[in-house]
Amino acid sequence: MDHHLHKRIRRFMMLALMGILFLGVVAPADTRAADPPHDQALRDALGPGDIVLDNTGSGVTRSGSWSTGTSNPGKYFGTNYEFVNGSLGQGQTIRYNPNLPQAGVYEVYIVFSASSNRAGNVTVQVSHQGGITTHTVNQKKNGGVWYPLGQYSFAAGSSGYVRIDSAGADGYVMADAVRFAVPVADPDVPGPYSIYKPVGPIIFRSGFEPGSTGVTSPSDPGLITNITGTDNSVAAPNSWTSHLNGYPKFGDLVFEYHSGGDTSSARFAKIINDPTPGGSGNKVLQYWLGSSGGTADRGRVQGLLKNNEALTEVFYKYRMYLHPDIELVKQSVDPNGWFTLAEFWNQPSWMSWTEYPFRISLNLTKDLGAGKPFKFRVSGQTTPATGGDDEEQFVTLWEEKNHWNVPTGVWLEAELYYKQGDANTGRFYFAVTPEGGEKRVVFDIGNWTYHPQNPSPSGLTHFHPFKLYTSRSLTNFVKDKGGALQIYWDDMEFWPSMSHDAALRNALGPNDIVVDNTDAGVVKTGSWTSGSSNPGRYYGSDYLYVNNGTGQTIQYKPNINAPGMYRVYIAFSGSANRSNSVPFEIYHNGQTSALTVNQQITAYHGKWYPIGEYYFASGSGNYVKINSAGTSGYVMADAVRFEPL
């Protein structure tokens, strides 16, 4: 979540708390009119195999006296919750014994209604086959969501339990529901293969090698303010001045820091010798954020291309190394949604002339829970024109998060593309190539890339192509753990544009083979339902689907006339209620390949989603099969395309 949205929520909660009167033993609440219908969001979050034991269930036992509450509708599960005032020191307990249908590994969650008068040190024990694990839960925050306690192995039946204990608690202790979910593995790769290429002529390239000179700040030699010179290790265009800053649509590249009284001892950017494994003899640009002190409420090291003119699209690429110290963030149980890596401004809110500010932010995020993996998230947001960047209320028009676990300690080659446009013509693209891997699409979003009310958008007047920007609390959390937030950048290139997708994906080639769900070459097992919602987002007259499938399959068998290499694509209508890991099996020339597809992705509406290149023998013995086994959510089956290479 954006830090500005955090501020708005906190202000709203404070106002709500000030107006609450307490009657009897009802626990204080922070009720808000904008709450969703009664616990609907919590119920929608459940998977098909999840087991929820509510406080009213038969498997719940108590010691001591617990009170029942119904304040904060939408922030608890079921008809009510229970609570005690832990500061009275009575040591009441409540124990949840679920009846698990089978032995296995389950992820355990609890839910509670959070508020400032809750205990910050609630003892929660999980009894599992490996013993008893004890957690200390801060119920002042992270309420109204499923709070993860970790993954554990349980026997079948009701021998395992979750126990909440009020002993030693320093405020109200809340007991609501406990959830046991079968973990679903995230994909091993970011997304589909990427086949896009930049469109030239290239604007600039550099690897920060000798000749690239960081210009230091007169007031603090530990900081660079910009880069000059020429990187002679690569071919032209390689001059930071005449090529990068000299490009007519670019203004100037400068480096900026959020100070609050800090100096380079707290944060800096500089060109250094590559310290990564195998990096001997190489140069990189280092961003280092060690602490946020003084008056700073955040930490920031960023490159800024400012005062650009008519920059309505741009494509660039670089290598990025997320330092292993960033792994320390995972030791925090709190979610992290504000760790910005790039930011694109179609009218920046901090400029006095701004009328319709709009930004796209690329962030590294982590979900609620200790040990949760990193993900990428991108957001398109508007904000009122205020002339500053501290108090705006950002409104999110669109947002998407990937389901790939982002690694640290390895080089990632990234590609980014911005195109100014409306809901139909705007585009934001982000692809990643992990070291030793293949280029995969993380995001390919068609949507507004400027403020919808702006009658005359003028492009990216300012943008941060590479950035390290996060909160003071997160920066200092890593510092207190003995680390520092660091990112290395290398091998950057800027291009005017990227190849259009219509020629690559939307138009069929003369020798392409398409097998639709209605064709004779399709074999189904189990029951599939026909759908025709969202016209224009599927191939042919309809598509097929199952919800929370139990092993239904659909097999697409092409008639291959000419043996050889083919690129395989699928079509599906993406949505948040789809499965994020649909199993696909490709049988090709006597071999079988398997992969999973995240059908929550919305970037491929009306487009072909590539799933790889394979050699196919002639005839009808090859196939692509979809299997709904083990999926949670809707599984879509539409058409499969085979493009000869």
Side-chain angles (χ1 to χ4, degrees):
M1 181 182 292
D2 187 271
H3 69 289
H4 300 287
L5 184 56
H6 272 302
K7 288 182 178 179
R8 190 166 79 252
I9 290 174
R10 287 198 299 268
R11 287 196 297 269
F12 198 99
M13 289 176 66
M14 288 176 64
L15 290 173
L17 284 167
M18 289 171 63
I20 291 172
L21 296 176
F22 306 114
L23 299 174
V25 294
V26 177
D30 56 345
T31 304
R32 291 179 288 164
D35 279 346
H38 190 65
D39 77 13
Q40 187 62 51
L42 295 171
R43 294 185 181 276
D44 289 345
L46 300 179
D50 290 4
I51 298 165
V52 176
L53 184 55
D54 198 12
N55 60 288
T56 58
S58 60
V60 178
T61 56
R62 301 160 187 79
S63 69
S65 177
W66 290 78
S67 300
T68 299
T70 56
S71 299
N72 272 351
K75 300 301 181 183
Y76 56 88
F77 189 91
T79 58
N80 59 32
Y81 55 85
E82 298 179 39
F83 65 92
V84 295
N85 189 346
S87 61
L88 298 180
Q90 297 178 18
Q92 300 95 326
T93 67
I94 183 167
R95 178 166 143 170
Y96 299 77
N97 285 82
N99 187 11
L100 301 177
Q102 60 186 22
V105 175
Y106 292 82
E107 183 149 17
V108 181
Y109 302 82
I110 59 173
V111 65
F112 51 87
S113 172
S115 185
S116 59
N117 70 342
R118 311 306 196 230
N121 60 341
V122 178
T123 299
V124 181
Q125 293 181 324
V126 182
S127 177
H128 49 92
Q129 285 189 306
I132 295 178
T133 302
T134 301
H135 298 265
T136 300
V137 177
N138 181 2
Q139 292 192 339
K140 297 179 184 294
K141 56 184 179 179
N142 297 321
V145 297
W146 289 110
Y147 183 103
L149 298 175
Q151 296 183 11
Y152 307 95
S153 180
F154 291 92
S158 56
S159 60
Y161 63 80
V162 172
R163 181 175 178 267
I164 300 173
D165 191 339
S166 71
D170 55 8
Y172 282 90
V173 175
M174 317 302 290
D176 186 4
V178 178
R179 170 186 170 199
F180 296 79
V182 177
V184 178
D186 287 328
D188 293 329
V189 293
Y193 294 112
S194 174
I195 52 178
Y196 298 119
K197 298 182 184 300
V199 172
I202 184 173
I203 298 167
F204 169 75
R205 60 167 65 93
S206 176
F208 303 101
E209 298 306 317
S212 299
T213 303
V215 179
T216 58
S217 168
S219 60
D220 190 341
L223 307 173
I224 63 171
T225 57
N226 66 305
I227 301 177
T228 62
T230 299
D231 182 351
N232 291 310
S233 70
V234 295
N238 54 352
S239 169
W240 288 88
T241 303
S242 60
H243 293 136
L244 181 67
N245 289 342
Y247 180 58
K249 295 185 178 182
F250 284 171
D252 298 311
L253 175 67
V254 297
F255 290 91
E256 298 179 329
Y257 313 88
H258 194 78
S259 57
D262 291 335
T263 66
S264 59
S265 63
R267 74 285 182 275
F268 60 76
K270 63 176 65 172
I271 298 173
I272 65 168
N273 293 322
D274 185 353
T276 66
S280 177
N282 185 43
K283 296 283 187 179
V284 296
L285 175 66
Q286 180 189 24
Y287 281 4
W288 189 89
L289 183 55
S291 64
S292 290
T295 61
D297 61 350
R298 66 197 75 180
R300 176 168 55 197
V301 182
Q302 63 188 24
L304 171 65
L305 271 165
K306 63 177 184 175
N307 302 324
N308 309 308
E309 296 184 5
L311 186 64
T312 57
E313 61 178 328
V314 65
F315 174 92
Y316 67 102
K317 58 194 299 186
Y318 53 70
R319 292 199 308 142
M320 174 177 65
Y321 183 92
L322 301 171
H323 192 278
D325 277 7
I326 297 177
E327 287 287 319
L328 295 170
V329 173
K330 295 180 181 178
Q331 295 184 25
S332 170
V333 72
D334 293 330
N336 169 51
W338 169 30
F339 190 107
T340 308
L341 301 173
E343 200 165 70
F344 303 80
W345 283 92
N346 193 297
Q347 292 199 14
S349 63
W350 64 86
M351 301 298 289
S352 60
W353 49 263
T354 293
E355 294 183 275
Y356 302 100
F358 184 91
R359 75 169 184 182
I360 296 175
S361 295
L362 177 67
N363 283 275
L364 188 70
T365 69
K366 181 189 78 69
D367 287 340
L368 176 68
K372 293 293 183 179
F374 293 122
K375 311 289 184 182
F376 288 122
R377 188 198 68 210
V378 63
S379 308
Q381 299 170 316
T382 66
T383 179
T386 63
D389 71 344
D390 289 333
E391 296 298 330
E392 302 90 347
Q393 296 180 356
F394 288 90
V395 176
T396 299
L397 291 187
W398 54 262
E399 185 170 274
E400 194 167 305
K401 184 172 73 173
N402 83 302
H403 294 270
W404 175 58
N405 297 341
V406 181
T408 62
V410 298
W411 282 99
L412 304 173
E413 183 176 288
E415 296 181 349
L416 295 95
Y417 174 66
Y418 168 95
K419 181 182 179 183
Q420 176 178 282
D422 58 22
N424 297 312
T425 61
R427 189 172 179 192
F428 181 82
Y429 163 91
F430 177 55
V432 167
T433 307
E435 190 170 28
E438 298 183 83
K439 185 169 67 172
R440 300 278 188 155
V441 174
V442 180
F443 303 114
D444 193 356
I445 296 170
N447 214 318
W448 288 96
T449 54
Y450 66 89
H451 198 298
Q453 297 176 3
N454 189 346
S456 302
S458 55
L460 290 177
T461 56
H462 297 67
F463 82 100
H464 306 98
F466 31 90
K467 182 167 185 166
L468 171 55
Y469 182 38
T470 191
S471 65
R472 171 177 179 159
S473 60
L474 185 64
T475 304
N476 291 337
F477 178 86
V478 173
K479 172 192 173 185
D480 293 341
K481 296 293 182 180
L485 297 174
Q486 301 178 63
I487 303 178
Y488 305 145
W489 315 88
D490 198 11
D491 298 338
M492 66 175 51
E493 298 178 4
F494 287 86
W495 301 73
S497 184
M498 187 177 73
S499 53
H500 299 291
D501 62 16
L504 294 171
R505 295 185 297 178
N506 292 351
L508 298 177
N511 298 312
D512 288 5
I513 301 167
V514 176
V515 183
D516 196 14
N517 59 280
T518 58
D519 291 343
V522 172
V523 179
K524 300 184 287 289
T525 67
S527 177
W528 292 79
T529 303
S530 173
S532 56
S533 299
N534 295 323
R537 295 182 177 180
Y538 55 86
Y539 186 91
S541 59
D542 65 356
Y543 53 85
L544 300 176
Y545 66 90
V546 295
N547 186 17
N548 298 328
T550 56
Q552 300 93 328
T553 67
I554 181 167
Q555 189 177 92
Y556 297 79
K557 304 183 72 173
N559 187 8
I560 302 292
N561 294 319
M565 292 295 296
Y566 288 77
R567 181 176 292 123
V568 181
Y569 305 80
I570 58 173
F572 62 89
S573 172
S575 182
N577 66 353
R578 312 303 197 230
S579 170
N580 66 6
S581 55
V582 178
F584 275 74
E585 181 181 295
I586 300 95
Y587 183 78
H588 51 103
N589 196 37
Q591 302 178 46
T592 301
S593 298
L595 73 157
T596 60
V597 173
N598 176 13
Q599 291 193 338
Q600 294 180 356
I601 294 174
T602 59
Y604 286 84
H605 288 158
K607 302 175 183 178
W608 292 104
Y609 179 110
I611 60 172
E613 299 173 2
Y614 310 93
Y615 185 93
F616 291 100
S618 59
S620 58
N622 308 287
Y623 63 79
V624 172
K625 182 167 71 174
I626 304 173
N627 191 340
S628 70
T631 58
S632 173
Y634 285 88
V635 173
M636 317 302 289
D638 187 5
V640 179
R641 170 187 170 196
F642 301 82
E643 177 192 19
L645 300 178

